[in-house]
Amino acid sequence: MSRKLRIGLIYGGKSGEHEVSLQTAHAVIGALDVSKYEITPFYITKQGEWRRGAALNGRVERKELLAFDASEGEAAGAALAPFFSGLTSQADGVLAEVAAAGEAAREEAVDVVLPLLHGTFGEDGTIQGLLEMANIPYVGAGVLASAVGMDKVAMKKMFAQEGLPQCVYRHFTRSQWEKDQPFFLMETEISIGYPCFIKPANLGSSVGISKARNRQELIEAVEYAFQFDRKVIVEEFVDAREIEVAILGNEEPLASVPGEIVSSSEFYDYKAKYVDGKSTMVIPAELPEETSAQIRELAIQAFQSIDGSGLSRVDFFLTRTDGQIYINEINTMPGFTPFSMYPLLWKETGKPYAELLDDLIRLALERHAAKQQIKYTVE
């Protein structure tokens, strides 16, 4: 009998979405088939420290995800050993420590990684770059797609290049804002007006987002968003329904049925997403067949425009007055919490949670195998 596939589950992270990642990890662990997979947890603290736990045999209590600390868990060198077991002794610092682990580390090497990290230092291409260097298969988007999917400004520019319909937006950095605040206030008021939404450019889960109805609220919202990123984006308000589509695949991605979010708050903020559980998800969304097909097609187009792989959730606005479709954003590592849209959309489309995870792992292995055919040297 062949051995179980070794799954490295990375969660937590130095991010404003740390708690969201824990919820995702808890749900995924409970859904993975332990008869097929050996699960090794890798917890990254809010300070960026790596901790590796013992292999898991199925569902765990949420508190167990944080149970290993400096005395019970392992420091960075040992925790990373399964990823960098093949390094030479010429590596420096932590990597040298990992290389010294030798055969012991190779015996613990994981076969594929699920980077269940949301936000900065996880969903933005950083962890993907680490795994690329280690030449380990991993679930989800690559370095480029992750980085673009995380940076809303870069994302919107790429969507514009692809001709995807979008709302009006403006963006600026902290230094630009501090240097010429009156100009950016005037530009926002002329081109966008009130109300408008203010967001950190590099964050998700609606962290740091505010709605401004006047100049004072705009200033306060921008200052608040700058707590989470050096770059801020301001978007026009549209009276619209919020429609979401789940994407699954690599070269030939599939789109789920669309779903609709009916928020319990004025807009779909962090609390509405992850805390109160009162927001309503209408799956499938009540849409004309033609509109549903158009949104699914645009979702696949958006996924391919950033060179996506594995999974993504693509969010749209559908205006209430005239039915115009605007793409809002793409999320390359959507949550798998009990309140998450992504797995529920696939469940409605005919793919249950456990099967969805199996497919994501398969897609990661297929993508990795294809990349091994690429030559990186010229002889």
Side-chain angles (χ1 to χ4, degrees):
M1 182 177 178
S2 59
R3 69 171 176 83
K4 297 179 183 179
L5 199 66
R6 292 172 177 163
I7 305 295
L9 211 67
I10 307 178
Y11 58 90
K14 190 176 178 181
S15 165
E17 299 178 73
H18 183 97
E19 298 301 324
V20 180
S21 176
L22 298 183
Q23 293 184 46
T24 295
H26 183 251
V28 169
I29 290 169
L32 284 170
D33 186 347
V34 294
S35 69
K36 296 189 292 187
Y37 306 121
E38 177 182 304
I39 308 166
T40 300
F42 294 85
Y43 171 53
I44 304 177
T45 69
K46 291 182 179 180
Q47 292 72 41
E49 299 171 342
W50 286 65
R51 302 284 179 252
R52 180 177 56 168
L56 303 175
N57 295 312
R59 190 177 301 275
V60 297
E61 295 295 328
R62 188 175 180 276
K63 62 182 180 180
E64 294 180 60
L65 298 177
L66 311 175
F68 31 96
D69 56 23
S71 60
E72 298 170 333
E74 298 174 290
L80 286 167
F83 299 143
F84 288 93
S85 58
L87 290 175
T88 69
S89 58
Q90 297 179 5
D92 295 325
V94 169
L95 298 188
E97 181 184 348
V98 173
E103 289 299 326
R106 277 187 282 276
E107 292 176 1
E108 298 174 339
V110 296
D111 297 308
V112 62
V113 169
L114 269 72
L116 303 176
L117 298 165
H118 302 293
T120 47
F121 303 109
E123 194 180 343
D124 57 359
T126 50
I127 191 71
Q128 290 77 14
L130 175 71
L131 297 171
E132 290 284 356
M133 289 180 64
N135 198 31
I136 293 178
Y138 59 92
V139 168
V143 175
L144 174 64
S146 297
V148 171
M150 189 67 194
D151 188 316
K152 294 179 177 64
V153 175
M155 176 201 306
K156 288 180 177 296
K157 290 181 177 180
M158 194 164 286
F159 286 166
Q161 181 68 28
E162 193 70 16
L164 294 168
Q166 303 182 81
C167 297
V168 179
Y169 71 95
R170 292 294 184 269
H171 61 90
F172 42 84
T173 64
R174 184 195 301 275
S175 62
Q176 290 174 322
W177 172 258
E178 292 174 348
K179 182 179 179 180
D180 200 355
Q181 182 183 120
F183 168 78
F184 290 106
L185 287 172
M186 180 182 65
E187 183 186 44
T188 298
E189 290 173 336
I190 292 175
S191 61
I192 298 177
Y194 299 109
C196 58
F197 285 99
I198 300 87
K199 307 175 181 179
N202 287 275
L203 208 58
S205 295
S206 297
V207 174
I209 294 181
S210 303
K211 183 178 181 179
R213 301 163 186 80
N214 53 57
R215 174 171 285 203
Q216 183 57 40
E217 288 185 357
L218 174 59
I219 293 172
E220 293 173 357
V222 169
E223 295 295 341
Y224 176 58
F226 275 136
Q227 295 180 30
F228 300 96
D229 192 28
R230 57 172 286 275
K231 186 163 51 177
V232 159
I233 185 168
V234 183
E235 299 174 347
E236 73 168 318
F237 166 79
V238 290
D239 182 18
R241 299 164 63 185
E242 297 187 42
I243 308 296
E244 301 182 350
V245 176
I247 301 294
L248 177 69
N250 289 334
E251 299 298 327
E252 299 179 357
L254 302 174
S256 72
V257 298
E260 180 174 4
I261 294 291
V262 181
S263 178
S264 60
S265 301
E266 185 177 5
F267 62 96
Y268 198 36
D269 59 5
Y270 184 92
K271 181 179 178 182
K273 281 187 178 182
Y274 300 109
V275 179
D276 62 24
K278 295 179 182 178
S279 294
T280 302
M281 296 181 184
V282 181
I283 306 174
E286 297 178 0
L287 299 170
E289 185 174 341
E290 181 179 350
T291 302
S292 176
Q294 185 178 0
I295 289 175
R296 295 174 76 179
E297 182 179 340
L298 288 171
I300 291 176
Q301 189 178 351
F303 181 78
Q304 292 177 324
S305 75
I306 68 165
D307 194 25
S309 56
L311 74 164
S312 284
R313 193 195 69 238
V314 189
D315 303 344
F316 296 89
F317 294 130
L318 180 64
T319 59
R320 299 181 189 279
T321 54
D322 55 4
Q324 291 295 310
I325 300 170
Y326 296 104
I327 186 167
N328 179 23
E329 62 183 20
I330 187 169
N331 188 322
T332 57
M333 185 51 69
F336 281 81
T337 72
F339 304 119
S340 296
M341 177 68 94
Y342 185 87
L344 295 177
L345 287 172
W346 280 115
K347 181 180 179 180
E348 179 65 26
T349 310
K351 193 176 292 294
Y353 200 175
E355 183 181 332
L356 177 61
L357 287 168
D358 287 342
D359 281 355
L360 289 171
I361 291 168
R362 174 183 56 80
L363 288 166
L365 294 170
E366 288 179 358
R367 179 173 176 269
H368 181 74
K371 292 188 70 174
Q372 302 314 297
Q373 308 303 314
I374 299 174
K375 290 185 178 181
Y376 294 98
T377 60
V378 179
E379 298 177 356

